[in-house]
Amino acid sequence: MMIHYFNPDEKLEECGRCSSCLQSEKSYNMTTEAQKILSCIARLKQKEKRNMIIQVLRGEQTPQITSLGYDELSTYGILKDYTTNECHHLLDELRYKGYLNEHKEILSVDQEAMDVLRGKVEIMTTPFKSKPKEIVDIQTITDVDRSLFNRLIEVRKDLSKELEVSPLSIFSDQILEQFAKRLPESKKEMILIDGIGSYKLKHYCPIFIETIKNYKQPI
């Protein structure tokens, strides 16, 4: 039975006390990116899911985007220089800080986000921009525990069904592959992996940490 760690539709806000809120590494000012994302979601009439939002932000060309006319929006391609994982990180931060709400995978702008759009609030996050990396097929990467990787795939599948979100919106295959390679057993170790933002660290990582620990130390 899957452990339920949080309500996916809950309104989130930082408590100002926990390690995620007080991280000294939050030295990157993402206010400009936040304004672009919030504007994009508003222009999408707050009716699209995370993956579609990211595709529009990155200026991806798909039949669905063309048929819906999203490629004509002023915010189309506004984050074209950002990777998919980097966009996920930005959305995670906005969700975690309470500027975005989520219901059945649909992201909407919270009223508090108006201060961000008006430039009255700055948003800081951990540095997340990745250096260009060579694209490697997941099947060619060595030192990955394939048995654990397959188990993590099943955990992601069960969690996605419980939360009614797409599996890839939780973690990509590449991130699960890193879990199976590096075997992180704490949030401190998880946050060092590319693609892990504050929101996912708090809400998604615990079940994967538990799975890794149980795998390494079977009862």
Side-chain angles (χ1 to χ4, degrees), residues 205-219:
C205 285
I207 185 62
F208 290 93
I209 291 173
E210 180 180 332
T211 301
I212 292 169
K213 286 183 176 180
N214 290 339
Y215 180 81
K216 292 176 68 176
Q217 299 177 345
I219 298 176

Side-chain angles (χ1 to χ4, degrees), residues 132-214:
K133 297 179 181 179
E134 179 183 0
I135 298 176
V136 182
D137 190 297
I138 189 172
Q139 297 299 326
T140 67
I141 300 176
T142 59
D143 300 325
V144 174
D145 188 322
R146 292 297 165 187
S147 178
L148 174 58
F149 175 76
N150 291 332
R151 186 174 299 186
L152 295 173
I153 288 285
E154 290 302 312
V155 170
R156 183 183 66 180
K157 179 180 178 182
D158 291 342
L159 187 59
S160 70
K161 287 181 179 179
E162 181 182 352
L163 302 180
E164 297 182 346
V165 300
S166 65
L168 292 180
S169 71
I170 295 176
F171 289 127
S172 67
D173 286 353
Q174 286 74 20
I175 290 178
L176 294 187
E177 180 266 340
Q178 286 296 316
F179 289 173
K181 179 178 181 179
R182 299 167 66 169
L183 307 178
E185 293 189 58
S186 68
K187 289 184 178 180
K188 185 176 181 180
E189 294 176 347
M190 283 276 191
I191 197 65
L192 298 176
I193 297 175
D194 286 345
I196 305 296
S198 299
Y199 179 76
K200 292 187 178 183
L201 184 70
K202 178 180 180 181
H203 295 297
Y204 295 159
C205 285
I207 185 62
F208 290 93
I209 291 173
E210 180 180 332
T211 301
I212 292 169
K213 286 183 176 180
N214 290 339

Side-chain angles (χ1 to χ4, degrees), residues 6-132:
F6 77 113
N7 178 354
D9 295 336
E10 68 179 318
K11 176 173 167 48
L12 303 177
E13 59 183 10
E14 291 186 304
C15 66
R17 298 186 299 274
C18 70
S19 59
S20 292
C21 295
L22 299 175
Q23 275 185 316
S24 59
E25 294 85 0
K26 290 193 174 185
S27 58
Y28 182 89
N29 189 328
M30 58 168 279
T31 306
T32 298
E33 289 95 332
Q35 291 170 334
K36 292 177 179 179
I37 290 171
L38 295 170
S39 296
C40 182
I41 293 174
R43 284 172 171 75
L44 291 172
K45 299 181 180 180
Q46 307 189 77
K47 64 179 183 180
E48 292 296 347
K49 298 179 181 180
R50 173 185 289 248
N51 287 344
M52 173 61 79
I53 293 169
I54 290 176
Q55 288 175 358
V56 173
L57 287 167
R58 297 186 68 242
E60 297 182 19
Q61 297 179 340
T62 69
Q64 187 176 12
I65 285 177
T66 302
S67 65
L68 292 171
Y70 289 165
D71 55 339
E72 300 295 327
L73 296 175
S74 60
T75 51
Y76 176 72
I78 202 168
L79 293 183
K80 62 182 179 181
D81 295 327
Y82 292 71
T83 67
T84 297
N85 277 343
E86 288 166 353
C87 289
H88 274 298
H89 175 87
L90 292 167
L91 287 170
D92 287 343
E93 284 288 344
L94 290 174
R95 176 81 171 91
Y96 178 66
K97 294 176 185 296
Y99 295 119
L100 288 179
N101 298 317
E102 183 173 4
H103 180 65
K104 294 184 178 179
E105 299 187 65
I106 305 296
L107 291 177
S108 60
V109 178
D110 191 84
Q111 184 63 33
E112 294 182 10
M114 293 305 298
D115 286 340
V116 179
L117 290 169
R118 292 167 180 161
K120 295 182 178 180
V121 175
E122 288 189 343
I123 302 179
M124 306 301 292
T125 185
T126 53
F128 65 96
K129 286 289 287 178
S130 303
K131 295 179 180 179

